[in-house]
Amino acid sequence: MATAAPRLATSARSRLVRTSNPVMPDTSIKKRTTLILGKPGGGKGTISNKIIQDFTPHFHHLSTGDVLRQHVREETEIGLQAHEHMKTGGLVPDELMVRLLDDAKEKVGDEKGLLLDGFPRTIEQAAALDKSISVDLVINLDVPTKTIVERISDRWIHPPSGRIYSYSYNPPKVEGKDDITGEPLVQREDDRPEFVKNRLDAYEKTTAPLIDYYSERGILKSFQGTQSDVIYVGVKEWLKMKLI
């Protein structure tokens, strides 16, 4: 159930500074399959967008959730099989998710490297992926749990468009209203602190072990911080060193 938006603090009116100039395309950049890991709400989407912006056209961002929903909408063979599991509340089998990634990789071809976001999430999924796609680099976003709880709990959305606002770093122009339509903003039930903590607990049990899994291969680099713009400075420099 949605609740009314809080009052907008004066200090929260500042906007994020845009990232620096993008890395210009260079044929010498290696094509790598790169995985981005991090807690829910840890900025994976934000960092992924910055990577795509700065390293275009050398990466293709593959959010498995988005690709899966597209297959379901288009009623592809993969989509129809996935929907059979989804409509009963079941999980899509790992083998089917790997097929989805194989299909996406085939469509992208050899022109770009993949930036994976959302899969694998478990050791078992990583092992299944290894049989088909080799992960070359892993970016782990190490953001404190306290920061994530505060960040997500501060998130408000405009349901019809999906636009997201935060009173701490991306506030609406008018308190409690969408910038474009002026319609009310709401807070999702699963963005409340108690729900966020449950999601983070689940991450620690199922996904966090992937950090050791990929660290043992010497392909993972962790980046600590509380602000995506600050964290991304290190991510960008590391990728330039690995790709160019």
Side-chain angles (χ1 to χ4, degrees):
M1 182 175 179
T3 57
R7 293 194 60 80
L8 175 61
T10 302
S11 60
R13 296 180 185 274
S14 60
R15 302 278 180 169
L16 282 176
V17 178
R18 294 185 180 275
T19 53
S20 56
N21 294 332
V23 176
M24 296 305 293
D26 187 326
T27 55
S28 67
I29 293 183
K30 304 178 182 69
K31 310 304 185 296
R32 301 292 194 191
T33 295
T34 302
L35 170 65
I36 185 163
L37 291 176
K39 302 169 186 174
K44 293 189 297 296
T46 299
I47 296 294
S48 294
N49 288 337
K50 291 178 182 293
I51 291 173
I52 296 303
Q53 174 184 320
D54 282 350
F55 291 88
T56 299
H58 306 286
F59 270 122
H60 176 78
H61 183 204
L62 188 59
S63 173
T64 51
D66 292 342
V67 176
L68 180 59
R69 286 186 286 272
Q70 181 180 351
H71 274 273
V72 172
R73 286 196 306 270
E74 296 177 356
E75 297 184 340
T76 65
E77 179 186 352
I78 292 175
L80 291 173
Q81 291 183 39
H83 184 60
E84 288 299 311
H85 297 277
M86 295 165 67
K87 70 181 183 181
T88 59
L91 298 176
V92 178
D94 295 345
E95 294 78 10
L96 193 56
M97 291 298 297
V98 172
R99 280 181 55 198
L100 180 147
L101 292 178
D102 283 338
D103 178 77
K105 185 174 178 62
E106 183 176 343
K107 290 178 180 178
V108 172
D110 296 328
E111 296 302 314
K112 296 183 178 182
L114 291 181
L115 179 61
L116 302 180
D117 174 8
F119 189 92
R121 293 185 177 182
T122 66
I123 295 293
E124 292 75 19
Q125 290 177 350
L129 182 64
D130 285 343
K131 298 176 183 178
S132 179
I133 297 176
S134 174
V135 174
D136 302 302
L137 301 171
V138 180
I139 298 166
N140 178 48
L141 305 180
D142 186 4
V143 179
T145 296
K146 181 176 182 292
T147 298
I148 293 177
V149 173
E150 292 174 349
R151 180 184 296 174
I152 298 182
S153 301
D154 192 39
R155 186 164 63 186
W156 295 76
I157 67 170
H158 176 243
S161 69
R163 282 185 286 275
I164 300 175
Y165 299 88
S166 169
Y167 283 88
S168 59
Y169 67 89
N170 182 37
K173 296 176 182 177
V174 177
E175 179 185 335
K177 303 292 183 181
D178 176 56
D179 285 352
I180 307 300
T181 66
E183 295 173 340
L185 303 177
V186 301
Q187 186 176 48
R188 298 187 312 186
E189 189 72 23
D190 58 358
D191 282 347
R192 310 274 177 106
E194 60 272 23
F195 288 91
V196 175
K197 290 175 181 176
N198 289 338
R199 288 161 58 191
L200 291 173
D201 286 344
Y203 172 86
E204 291 296 335
K205 293 177 182 177
T206 61
T207 306
L210 286 176
I211 297 173
D212 289 337
Y213 182 84
Y214 288 115
S215 290
E216 291 172 358
R217 300 186 182 187
I219 61 174
L220 180 143
K221 175 72 173 178
S222 291
F223 299 89
Q224 293 82 24
T226 60
Q227 299 179 28
S228 294
D229 277 0
V230 177
I231 292 174
Y232 182 63
V233 173
V235 172
K236 182 177 178 179
E237 290 304 311
W238 186 70
L239 282 178
K240 286 169 64 177
M241 181 178 64
K242 292 294 184 179
L243 299 175
I244 301 177

